Amino acid sequence: MNKAVFLDRDGVINRRRSDYVKSLDELEIFPSVQEGISKLRKSGFLVIVITNQSVINRGIINLEKLNEIHSKIQKKLREKDTKIDKFYFCPHRPDEKCDCRKPKSGLIIQAINDFSINPSESWMIGDSLTDIQAGENAGCNTLLVKEQDAFEKIVDAIQSSNNEGQTSK
Ligand SMILES: [Mg+2]
Ligand SMILES: [Zn+2]
């Protein structure tokens, strides 16, 4: 069984915008992300993004643009010889009542199945309570971060928790 760190995207990897990240110009990746993801992978975690992108079904950007944004994040990570294992996104609007939009845990469950992940050894990290709810529903450890929190703090929290053997609650 694998262990994973599931990351929210907006507000964790890149700056959140109230009008959505719609282009590469609007994608502001936080400086500590490269090193942080590299460290998480070296600690044996898969790193998987779980993100709500209703921007798709709202018709604001298309799938091609979303993929372009995610490729840019991967390109940035490749500079440090690291990567995100997979991006899972929910394209739906809230009124579509899907099973994958956080706080629902559909995307996390899918990733758990795709990668044979043990949720009790894994983490869902985000800047919204809906991220935490999704993680708890999927049986993961959770960490609520503030956007201004350095990514390093995430790494420290997970590594020290592992050292103390407190990987599950
Ligand atoms: Mg967020
Ligand atoms: Zn959905």
Side-chain angles (χ1 to χ4, degrees):
M1 291 279 258
N2 293 305
K3 55 182 182 174
V5 175
F6 299 111
L7 296 173
D8 173 39
R9 195 195 80 181
D10 299 319
V12 175
I13 291 174
N14 56 271
R15 193 170 300 285
R16 184 177 50 197
R17 294 175 62 99
S18 56
D19 63 343
Y20 308 106
V21 176
K22 304 178 291 302
S23 66
L24 295 183
D25 286 346
E26 294 178 348
L27 177 67
E28 188 186 337
I29 301 170
F30 295 126
S32 50
V33 167
Q34 287 175 305
E35 192 64 37
I37 288 181
S38 174
K39 281 185 182 163
L40 290 175
R41 293 181 60 84
K42 283 174 184 162
S43 302
F45 289 94
L46 296 166
V47 176
I48 293 171
V49 169
I50 304 287
T51 179
N52 286 353
Q53 293 299 327
S54 65
V55 68
I56 297 291
N57 280 13
R58 290 178 202 272
I60 297 170
I61 65 170
N62 60 23
L63 218 50
E64 192 182 4
K65 181 59 73 179
L66 185 70
N67 287 334
E68 200 180 313
I69 290 166
H70 292 171
S71 297
K72 175 79 182 287
I73 295 172
Q74 292 286 41
K75 191 177 169 200
K76 190 83 185 159
L77 294 173
R78 267 203 304 277
E79 292 172 8
K80 290 272 183 194
D81 281 324
T82 193
K83 64 174 182 178
I84 285 161
D85 288 281
K86 190 161 176 172
F87 288 82
Y88 288 87
F89 62 90
C90 163
H92 307 109
R93 299 182 311 270
D95 64 283
E96 293 179 88
K97 307 219 180 303
C98 65
D99 289 325
C100 52
R101 183 178 166 84
K102 294 175 287 186
K104 297 276 183 66
S105 48
L107 292 179
I108 302 178
I109 301 291
Q110 195 187 328
I112 284 173
N113 291 331
D114 290 349
F115 287 89
S116 299
I117 290 163
N118 179 357
S120 68
E121 282 190 288
S122 300
W123 292 76
M124 174 72 217
I125 298 171
D127 66 337
S128 301
L129 282 175
T130 50
D131 298 315
I132 303 311
Q133 286 175 280
E136 283 177 353
N137 290 338
C140 300
N141 303 286
T142 57
L143 185 62
L144 182 66
V145 293
K146 294 197 184 95
E147 188 174 66
Q148 62 269 31
D149 276 3
F151 207 94
E152 291 292 327
K153 280 191 190 164
I154 295 175
V155 176
D156 288 347
I158 289 176
Q159 287 181 338
S160 62
S161 166
N162 272 355
N163 292 341
E164 289 160 20
Q166 295 174 343
T167 51
S168 57
K169 23 177 170 175

